[in-house]
Amino acid sequence: MRSQAIRWIGGSLLAAVLAGCAAPPANTPQEKTRSIAAGTTPPATGEVLGRSDRFVIYKPEPEDTLRSIAARFLGGEDRYWVIGDFNNISRVETGQPVVVPLKATNPMGVYADRIQTVPILCYHRFGNGGGKMVVSPANFERQLDWLARNDYHVIRLADLAAYLKGEQPLPRRSVVITIDDGYESVYRHALPVLRKHGFPATVFVYTDFIGAGEALSWAQLQELAASGLVDVQAHSKSHRNLIERAAGETDAQYAQGLEAEARAPRELIERRLPVRVRHYAYPFGDANDQVLEALNRQQYQLAVTVNPGGNAFFAQPLMLRRTMIFGDHDLEAFKARLQISRAVGGP
């Protein structure tokens, strides 16, 4: 794939753009990223064989890596995956040219034989006790270690918004971590493992639970939010099943209840924490048209179910698939739930 891409680009590129090889391209909106901080990977210094406004053909030096090439041409080493995915490589070889895409080439993740999908994982509790919903700290660490070793990119849930609009590509091996309810074990067991790898996660809390016996306190939620890794978002007010009515509940009462379950957690979390609440996890994963209308009125942008599978670019933003991770899942079961693509014409 890499040699074909180089030949394809090189035929029209080399003769036309060698005169403009000296200066790096200006960032486009798709290429905005963090600045290269002191002490991070230095930019690559190898030879540019050709360049246009869309691609660079680059010949790596012995000390070059995907990160150093990304630092030179893409504005930051954390965009190394753009080069790796385009050339279908995990590392560069000295003297073997690589193509550096300067603009998004496939923001929707559509290929000849498959469509990219992004799995959203759902955890609840962590600890060494029993119960299907409880994942041991050791298993959680093994799972995240495996993601890190196998070049998975744990992205923020918010990163899906532009991808779902077809505006922003994501790494082929993207995965999102979410944790529901707001148990204190998130702070005690999950946060240290997330910090170890620098992996972000979204914690969905139902606000009536905060401060209860096994729940996170507001002080712990403040620390989670201040970590820069954990995004605190809404999981309703009371954790009622939003598609079920209480005995004797009228249409008006049901509508008012839904409005409260959407509005109250957003307002309270935003008042107590330095976050914007725009994401929602449905209790029990259930939603209907009235629930969706209530979320739209409260300006939620993304919402998640517990229907398993990955999310393609055409997924409904307020009905995203999410895959449960249970305490009895071994590492092989965990790996089987990472659906990062779907065969064209497949189920």
Side-chain angles (χ1 to χ4, degrees):
M1 174 180 173
R2 175 172 49 161
S3 60
Q4 291 174 343
I6 292 169
R7 286 197 298 270
W8 170 61
I9 297 167
S12 59
L13 179 60
L14 284 174
V17 299
L18 284 177
C21 290
N27 283 348
T28 67
Q30 292 90 346
E31 295 153 12
K32 288 181 180 177
T33 186
R34 63 176 175 80
S35 300
I36 303 170
T40 59
T41 303
T45 57
E47 181 183 1
V48 173
L49 301 179
R51 183 158 137 203
S52 72
D53 63 341
R54 293 178 57 84
F55 301 99
V56 167
I57 300 179
Y58 178 79
K59 183 178 180 181
E61 293 291 318
E63 65 275 13
D64 281 341
T65 64
L66 290 173
R67 288 182 178 274
S68 69
I69 299 171
R72 175 174 175 179
F73 295 107
L74 301 181
E77 64 180 75
D78 53 348
R79 291 184 60 77
Y80 73 95
W81 62 268
V82 174
I83 306 167
D85 282 359
F86 187 85
N87 293 273
N88 200 27
I89 57 175
S90 59
R91 62 181 58 86
V92 296
E93 299 176 14
T94 302
Q96 176 64 51
V98 295
V99 177
V100 182
L102 303 178
K103 298 181 180 179
T105 58
N106 187 6
M108 294 182 291
V110 177
Y111 302 90
D113 60 343
R114 69 193 188 283
I115 298 172
Q116 179 182 3
T117 60
V118 180
I120 303 173
L121 307 183
C122 178
Y123 295 86
H124 283 79
R125 303 179 68 176
F126 303 90
N128 294 310
K132 191 177 181 69
M133 307 300 285
V134 182
V135 175
S136 73
N139 274 350
F140 187 58
E141 184 156 9
R142 277 192 287 269
Q143 291 163 4
L144 269 57
D145 285 347
W146 188 87
L147 292 176
R149 289 196 313 271
N150 289 275
D151 202 31
Y152 276 77
H153 297 257
V154 179
I155 64 171
R156 299 178 186 275
L157 180 63
D159 293 338
L160 284 177
Y163 164 75
L164 294 173
K165 296 176 183 177
E167 297 173 353
Q168 179 66 47
L170 292 174
R172 289 184 190 177
R173 291 173 174 258
S174 291
V175 60
V176 176
I177 295 174
T178 67
I179 307 170
D180 279 7
D181 296 339
Y183 285 96
E184 185 273 341
S185 61
V186 175
Y187 178 84
R188 184 158 30 106
H189 294 303
L191 181 59
V193 185
L194 294 169
R195 277 178 166 155
K196 172 185 173 182
H197 293 292
F199 285 170
T202 296
V203 173
F204 289 107
V205 297
Y206 64 100
T207 48
D208 284 357
F209 185 48
I210 298 171
E214 294 184 285
L216 290 160
S217 67
W218 282 110
Q220 289 170 328
L221 286 167
Q222 285 274 5
E223 188 171 336
L224 289 173
S227 72
L229 295 174
V230 177
D231 188 22
V232 181
Q233 296 289 307
H235 191 29
S236 80
K237 177 182 182 294
S238 69
H239 206 276
R240 67 173 285 185
N241 190 313
L242 301 179
I243 68 172
E244 295 180 357
R245 298 195 184 200
E249 190 173 34
T250 66
D251 289 349
Q253 290 170 333
Y254 177 63
Q256 290 171 358
L258 292 184
E259 199 69 22
E261 296 288 349
R263 184 190 69 253
R266 178 182 60 77
E267 291 179 345
L268 181 57
I269 294 169
E270 290 186 343
R271 186 164 68 246
R272 298 293 300 266
L273 302 175
V275 300
R276 293 180 73 247
V277 177
R278 293 296 180 267
H279 307 151
Y280 196 94
Y282 302 112
F284 309 99
D286 291 334
N288 58 24
D289 286 345
Q290 284 183 267
V291 174
L292 296 178
E293 290 168 4
L295 262 62
N296 273 315
R297 284 193 295 272
Q298 295 301 319
Q299 299 183 331
Y300 285 96
Q301 297 172 352
L302 302 175
V304 293
T305 68
V306 290
N307 299 321
N311 296 281
F313 74 93
F314 50 77
Q316 216 279 38
L318 293 183
M319 288 294 290
L320 295 175
R321 292 180 176 272
R322 198 164 52 138
T323 302
M324 301 278 281
I325 303 298
F326 294 120
D328 57 358
H329 287 164
D330 61 16
L331 192 56
E332 291 304 313
F334 172 78
K335 291 189 286 186
R337 283 158 176 78
L338 299 172
Q339 187 186 60
I340 59 172
S341 67
R342 185 183 310 165
V344 173

